[in-house]
Amino acid sequence: MTKLRITEYLDIDLSKEVWCCNRCDQELNSARKNYKEACLVTERNMADVHPPMVEGEAYSFMPDPDYCRLIEFYCPNCGTMLENEYLPPGHPVTHEIELDIDALKKRHADSAGLEK
Amino acid sequence: MGKISYGRDEEVVQRMRPEPMTEAEAKAQDTIDDVEFEIFKHKMHMIGLEGKETTMKLGASTAMRFGDVAFGIFTAQGDLAVCATGIYHHAVLGQIPLKYIVKHLVEEPSVGVKDGDSFFYNDPYYAGVHNADMGLSVPVFHEGRLICFIGAAVHTGEAGGSEPGGTVTAAKSKYDEGMLIPPIKVGENYQLKEDLLNMFAAMNRDPRTMILDIKARLAATRIAQRRVLEVVEEKGADFVIGGLRKILAMTGQAARKKISRLNDGVYRQPRFLDTLGEDSGLVKIDLTVIKKDDQITLNLENSSPMLMDRPCNSYFQGIIGLAMVYFCGWLFHDLPPNNGLLEAIDWKFPDGSFINAKGDVATSIAPLVQITFTHGMFQSGARMTYATMPERSVASWFSGFSIPTFGGLNQFGEPVADITPEINATGCGARMDMDGVDAAGAFFATMADCSDVETTEADKPFLYGFRNYYNGSYGHGKRRGGAGLGYSLITHDTDYLLMGSHGGGSKFPTTQGLFGGYGLPSLFVRKVAHSNFKELLGESNVDLPTSLEHVYDGTSPETGSVSHGNISAVVEPSADGDVVYSYAGGGAGLGDALERDPEDIMRDLATDMVSEWAATNIYCIVYDKETMRLDVAATETARAAKRKERIASAKPYDAFVKEWEKQSPPQDVLRYYGEFPHPGTKALVA
C-alpha cells in the first residue's frame, strides 16, 4: 500500500511521488509541488456564494471585492472542489502544504515496500 | 533603589519557556514517587479548578461571570505549572508578570515579596493580550520559604481609556488606552490597600465592577493558598516545589512526543485583516508553520509593518499566547495547559512588524490581530494533522469578533461599561465526521458562556428584541459550520449610553473554510435610530422581527433611520429606543458542499438551520417546497451537472494565474499593508 491519505481530498502515491484526488484517483502532479498547479481554477462571482442581503449598501453580507475574492480549485477529472481560498485580488495562490517527501517515504518505508 | 527598571523590560517577556531547573527542584525529582506524583498533580488541578469557579462566582464583570477566567499555580520562579482555564492563552502568558515580580520585586527593598502580599497587573506588554485582561497573584510562603505563587487572570470589561468597554478603537498611541499597569503590590498583610483601590476606581468608568473583580481574584487565590499549604504540610515543601517543576518537565516531553507523530513539512496560511481600528484597510499576517521531527516553528516574517498611529498592533507574546489556544485546545488537548508546552514550539517574528509591536504604539485591538493569526494556526494545524490524527483536524470556529461595547448609565442610574456576551456563543468549525456545534462558545474561551438575555437585561440598559441561531452565520460544506447567533439590542431605560462595536470582517471575512468548505459571509452592524420597535412591542405587535432573517426579508414593520456600518466602530450616543442588529459568527465549513448528505440538508431546512437559497444554490438539492420531500434522483443529476459545469468553466492553473496576478487591491486599501503582495516591515504612517 503506497497511497497515503493527506487531506479530505488528497492522497499521495508514495511510490510514484504524485498527488492524487482521493475521490476519483486522478493523478494530479508531483507530490513535491503545489497540487493546485494541477487543478482547474476559477474565481467565483461572490454574490453566487455570499449573496448580499441588503441591496445598494457598502456593508452587506457580501465581502468587498476591493478586499477579497474567492478562488476555487477543482479536480480536473471529477470536478470535486479540493480547496478554495479567500484572497485579495491578485495575491499569489498559497502553497499551503509542502510535505517533506523524503521524510514521508522514510516513515512509511516498511508499509510502502520502499527502500529505507 | 534595588532592581526596579523604569519602562518596559524587554528581557523578561522573552522568557516564555520554563526557567532552568533550580537546585532544589532538581534534587526533589528523584524522590518523587510516580503514584504520589499523580495524586499531587490531580490535587493541584482540583485546587486550580476550585479557584477558577470561585473567581467566576464572586466576580462582577460580564466576562468574569461567564468564564473568561484563568486560575493558576506558579513555581517560585514564576512558571505556570497548573492552569485551570478555558482561556488557553493565559496558560503561556500568565507567567510573564510573575517572572517580572521575581526579577524586579523580590529583592527590591522598597517593595519586596512577603507572606500576605498581593500583586496586580494589566499591561498587555506583560500579560500579553489586552489591558482588559487583568491579573492578581499572591506568593505562598511556608515557614518563611517561598513555595509558589497563585494567580487569577480575568477579563474585566472596562479599563479606562478614551472609549469604554476595554477597547479603544480610535487609539493613536498607548496613552489613549487607559490603565496599563505593570506588576505592582496592591496588598500587604492580607489586606488590599484602599488608596490604590481608589486610584483604580478613579481610572475606570465602572469602579464598582473594577473593585469587585479585584476582590474576587484575591478571595479565590487566598482559598487556593490555604489548599496548597495543606498539601505542603502533608507532603513537605520539597515535594511540592519538585512536583510543580515535574509537571512542567513532563508536559514539554509529552508535547515533543506528540509533535513527532505528525508528518514533517511546511504549512502556509496568509491571513488578512480588513480593519485598522476606526477605519478600514488591509494588513497581512504571513504565517508559515514548519514541522520538523519533534519541533514546530512559527515563522511570521513578511507580515505587514507596525502601524504607528492605529491600534491594530500586537505584542509578539500575545501572538504566541493565541497560538497556544490552538495547541492547548486542539493538538495538545490531552496535555496540561502550561508553559512547558513551549519546549516544543519555536517562533520567528520580524522586527518592525505589527505583530511584534514596540514602543508607544497602540494595541487596543490586539485581540483581533491575534485571533486573525490563530485562524491561520487552525488552517495549518488541520492540514498538518489530517494524515495522522484526523479527529484533530477541524475547520475554524468563528475567528472574528463581533462585540458590542458600551458605557454610560444603566436603568438604575449607575455607571456601567462593558461588553455583551454573545462572543461566547459562536459556532464550532466543522469536522471531518460531524457538523460544527451550534452556538458552542468562543474558540479562545471554550468553557465560557453567553449568559441568559435576562441576566444581561437585569443590570444593563438593554432589551433584547431576539437572540437565536442565525442560519446565514456559518460556512457551508460537506460538513457545515455550527451556527452563531443573530440578535438585536434595544437601548432601554437610560439617560446616557454610548455604544460601539469591536470586530473585523466587514470587508474581508475573518473565517475561511477548509478542504473546499466555505468560509463565513462578511459582518456588519445595522442600526435603527429613532426606532418604533419599543412602541410596537408595547402594542404586542406580532410582526416584529424574531430573527435576523426576518430583519432582512422586507416584512418588518419597524421604522426609523436605518444605517449599515462596519463591525469595527467607535462608540457614539445611543438614545433610548435605538436598535442595533448584529450576529456572532458561526464556524467554517469543511469539504465540498456538493458532498453534503441531502438528508442532512432536509433536516436543516425543517429546523430553519439552512436557508432555501443555500439548499438550492450551494448544496444543489432538489426538493418539493410544499411537501418537503427530497427528490434523490434529481439531486444527483443537479450535482453531476454542477461538477461538469465547474470543469467546463474553470481554467488550467497557469492560464488562471496569468490573468489573476495582473490585479491588485486599490492603493487606499493597501496604505498600511506594506509592499503588495509581500509586505516589508518598515513601520508606516499613512
Side-chain angles (χ1 to χ4, degrees):
Chain A
M1 206 278 285
T2 63
K3 201 171 269 190
L4 299 175
R5 185 81 173 266
I6 303 298
T7 75
E8 178 72 17
Y9 294 121
L10 292 170
D11 297 337
I12 285 180
D13 186 322
L14 263 189
S15 59
K16 293 182 179 178
E17 291 189 16
V18 293
W19 289 108
C20 301
C21 172
N22 173 270
R23 294 300 188 265
C24 71
D25 289 332
Q26 171 75 21
E27 290 187 4
L28 297 172
N29 61 350
S30 167
R32 295 177 189 270
K33 290 186 170 182
N34 187 353
Y35 73 88
K36 290 176 179 171
E37 294 174 14
C39 292
L40 293 172
V41 190
T42 195
E43 181 187 341
R44 293 295 303 272
N45 179 349
M46 198 62 91
D48 291 343
V49 179
H50 299 296
M53 289 183 73
V54 191
E55 296 294 341
E57 293 277 354
Y59 293 99
S60 72
F61 289 86
M62 192 175 81
D64 185 332
D66 281 350
Y67 282 70
C68 181
R69 308 287 178 85
L70 174 58
I71 303 173
E72 297 183 350
F73 303 90
Y74 307 128
C75 169
N77 182 58
C78 68
T80 297
M81 181 165 28
L82 306 183
E83 191 51 283
N84 62 53
E85 274 200 82
Y86 293 73
L87 287 172
H91 189 283
V93 167
T94 306
H95 188 180
E96 69 215 8
I97 178 167
E98 183 180 353
L99 293 174
D100 183 335
I101 299 301
D102 295 326
L104 198 63
K105 290 176 82 165
K106 190 176 175 188
R107 172 176 287 205
H108 292 277
D110 290 335
S111 60
L114 301 170
E115 286 184 19
K116 286 188 179 179
Chain B
M1 174 62 197
K3 288 193 170 184
I4 290 280
S5 65
Y6 300 110
R8 285 170 166 171
D9 182 346
E10 294 182 10
E11 186 274 333
V12 77
V13 298
Q14 303 293 333
R15 286 161 40 194
M16 298 183 73
R17 296 190 184 88
E19 298 295 307
M21 202 177 281
T22 64
E23 196 176 322
E25 288 172 340
K27 194 175 172 186
Q29 297 307 303
D30 294 337
T31 66
I32 299 173
D33 173 79
D34 286 347
V35 174
E36 292 291 329
F37 176 68
E38 285 301 312
I39 295 169
F40 168 77
K41 191 155 60 78
H42 181 72
K43 181 86 176 172
M44 291 295 112
H45 188 57
M46 288 298 106
I47 293 170
L49 277 176
E50 183 190 40
K52 172 174 170 282
E53 291 299 317
T54 307
T55 312
M56 289 170 59
K57 295 286 188 297
L58 296 177
S61 60
T62 296
M64 194 181 219
R65 282 187 291 164
F66 299 110
D68 194 340
V69 173
F71 195 90
I73 303 171
F74 304 75
T75 69
Q77 294 192 87
D79 286 306
L80 178 51
V82 177
C83 183
T85 183
I87 312 283
Y88 289 120
H89 48 78
H90 293 304
V92 297
L93 297 175
Q95 86 276 10
I96 297 175
L98 273 300
K99 290 187 178 178
Y100 179 101
I101 291 168
V102 171
K103 177 178 176 180
H104 294 293
L105 306 185
V106 167
E107 295 182 20
E108 167 54 45
S110 68
V111 186
V113 175
K114 304 178 192 69
D115 189 29
D117 287 349
S118 47
F119 296 85
F120 177 88
Y121 34 84
N122 84 320
D123 186 343
Y125 187 72
Y126 300 112
V129 175
H130 62 154
N131 66 342
D133 283 336
M134 304 181 191
L136 184 142
S137 63
V138 302
V140 179
F141 284 88
H142 180 258
E143 297 177 353
R145 182 183 183 188
L146 178 61
I147 305 295
C148 62
F149 290 92
I150 294 169
V154 184
H155 180 116
T156 290
E158 162 62 15
S162 57
E163 295 168 47
T167 301
V168 183
T169 307
K172 296 288 192 290
S173 75
K174 72 174 189 176
Y175 307 108
D176 295 322
E177 295 178 323
M179 292 168 45
L180 297 168
I181 299 174
I184 60 167
K185 188 186 286 190
V186 293
E188 288 179 327
N189 299 319
Y190 292 90
Q191 283 190 316
L192 288 167
K193 290 172 171 286
E194 284 297 323
D195 52 350
L196 290 178
L197 293 185
N198 272 311
M199 183 188 76
F200 292 142
M203 296 166 71
N204 190 294
R205 292 176 182 80
D206 190 350
R208 182 182 61 168
T209 298
M210 178 78 194
I211 303 306
L212 279 173
D213 280 4
I214 287 175
K215 291 183 175 180
R217 293 181 187 94
L218 180 60
T221 54
R222 290 300 181 208
I223 293 170
Q225 179 186 6
R226 289 206 296 272
R227 304 273 189 259
V228 169
L229 284 173
E230 288 168 9
V231 179
V232 174
E233 288 291 340
E234 181 186 343
K235 307 301 295 182
D238 290 339
F239 181 94
V240 172
I241 288 169
L244 289 175
R245 180 65 206 208
K246 189 165 184 169
I247 293 172
L248 286 164
M250 289 187 71
T251 303
Q253 291 164 8
R256 284 182 177 276
K257 188 175 177 184
K258 193 153 195 181
I259 285 175
S260 67
R261 290 171 55 194
L262 303 172
N263 287 333
D264 284 357
V266 179
Y267 305 84
R268 301 180 184 86
Q269 185 61 60
R271 296 289 298 131
F272 304 96
L273 181 59
D274 63 2
T275 183
L276 311 168
E278 63 178 328
D279 52 355
S280 297
L282 205 59
V283 286
K284 176 183 178 181
I285 301 172
D286 202 14
L287 171 63
T288 300
V289 178
I290 302 151
K291 189 271 161 182
K292 176 75 173 170
D293 300 328
D294 60 358
Q295 191 81 12
I296 285 176
T297 301
L298 311 178
N299 185 344
L300 291 118
E301 291 169 333
N302 297 313
S303 298
S304 287
M306 191 156 64
L307 281 66
M308 302 304 288
D309 57 354
R310 293 289 187 278
C312 183
N313 297 292
S314 170
Y315 300 114
F316 87 92
Q317 50 270 40
I319 299 287
I320 297 301
L322 265 289
M324 296 316 289
V325 171
Y326 168 74
F327 283 113
C328 291
W330 278 263
L331 186 59
F332 299 143
H333 67 100
D334 47 0
L335 301 182
N338 61 47
N339 65 311
L341 295 170
L342 292 179
E343 297 284 14
I345 312 291
D346 203 354
W347 49 85
K348 290 182 185 174
F349 284 83
D351 284 334
S353 174
F354 82 121
I355 40 90
N356 189 13
K358 298 277 173 61
D360 297 342
V361 296
T363 60
S364 253
I365 66 168
L368 183 61
V369 176
Q370 292 156 7
I371 68 169
T372 299
F373 155 82
T374 317
H375 180 66
M377 277 308 313
F378 271 89
Q379 298 290 93
S380 300
R383 293 173 183 128
M384 193 162 56
T385 53
Y386 191 99
T388 53
M389 308 174 196
E391 75 283 2
R392 309 313 306 165
S393 180
V394 298
S396 288
W397 295 33
F398 174 55
S399 296
F401 284 126
S402 173
I403 302 176
T405 57
F406 61 87
L409 300 174
N410 70 3
Q411 56 269 52
F412 310 112
E414 299 164 337
V416 289
D418 210 331
I419 58 176
T420 66
E422 283 69 37
I423 189 60
N424 288 337
T426 73
C428 287
R431 293 179 11 172
M432 59 174 288
D433 56 349
M434 64 181 281
D435 291 342
V437 175
D438 301 319
F443 79 84
F444 52 88
T446 49
M447 296 177 200
D449 185 73
C450 71
S451 110
D452 300 323
V453 296
E454 291 83 0
T455 303
T456 300
E457 290 173 339
D459 63 353
K460 304 293 188 302
F462 299 116
L463 282 178
Y464 280 86
F466 59 82
R467 192 179 78 175
N468 43 35
Y469 294 140
Y470 174 45
N471 67 20
S473 64
Y474 61 80
H476 301 294
K478 176 188 174 186
R479 303 289 186 183
R480 69 164 174 83
L485 296 181
Y487 58 94
S488 71
L489 281 172
I490 307 162
T491 299
H492 178 59
D493 203 10
T494 177
D495 295 328
Y496 172 59
L497 188 70
L498 298 170
M499 279 199 74
S501 177
H502 174 47
S506 284
K507 292 177 175 291
F508 195 117
T510 54
T511 312
Q512 190 168 324
L514 182 68
F515 304 145
Y518 285 121
L520 273 56
S522 45
L523 281 163
F524 64 97
V525 177
R526 176 187 175 97
K527 294 181 184 176
V528 184
H530 314 297
S531 169
N532 63 342
F533 198 115
K534 276 175 65 171
E535 183 185 326
L536 295 173
L537 197 63
E539 297 167 2
S540 300
N541 187 304
V542 296
D543 295 322
L544 280 170
T546 55
S547 70
L548 212 50
E549 302 97 285
H550 290 172
V551 173
Y552 295 107
D553 69 6
T555 63
S556 172
E558 182 185 22
T559 59
S561 177
V562 179
S563 62
H564 297 93
N566 200 299
I567 196 73
S568 181
V570 178
V571 290
E572 59 183 21
S574 183
D576 200 299
D578 288 358
V579 184
V580 165
Y581 297 92
S582 191
Y583 75 92
L590 186 151
D592 188 344
L594 295 185
E595 291 192 345
R596 182 162 179 77
D597 186 336
E599 293 295 346
D600 287 344
I601 302 162
M602 295 306 295
R603 182 201 64 208
D604 280 345
L605 281 167
T607 53
D608 208 22
M609 293 300 281
V610 68
S611 67
E612 291 184 357
W613 181 90
T616 302
N617 294 286
I618 299 293
Y619 293 108
C620 291
I621 65 165
V622 181
Y623 64 100
D624 187 318
K625 292 183 180 174
E626 294 296 319
T627 63
M628 294 303 287
R629 287 200 171 182
L630 176 72
D631 187 331
V632 176
T635 296
E636 287 178 1
T637 301
R639 289 181 164 185
K642 187 73 174 176
R643 289 191 176 93
K644 284 184 179 174
E645 183 187 319
R646 287 172 172 177
I647 292 171
S649 62
K651 294 178 181 175
Y653 181 86
D654 289 341
F656 174 85
V657 167
K658 190 176 177 184
E659 292 302 311
W660 167 255
E661 292 192 347
K662 291 178 182 173
Q663 306 175 86
S664 169
Q667 278 308 303
D668 180 58
V669 171
L670 297 176
R671 67 193 186 282
Y672 280 90
Y673 182 97
E675 189 174 340
F676 185 82
H678 305 298
T681 53
K682 186 180 176 186
L684 289 183
V685 180

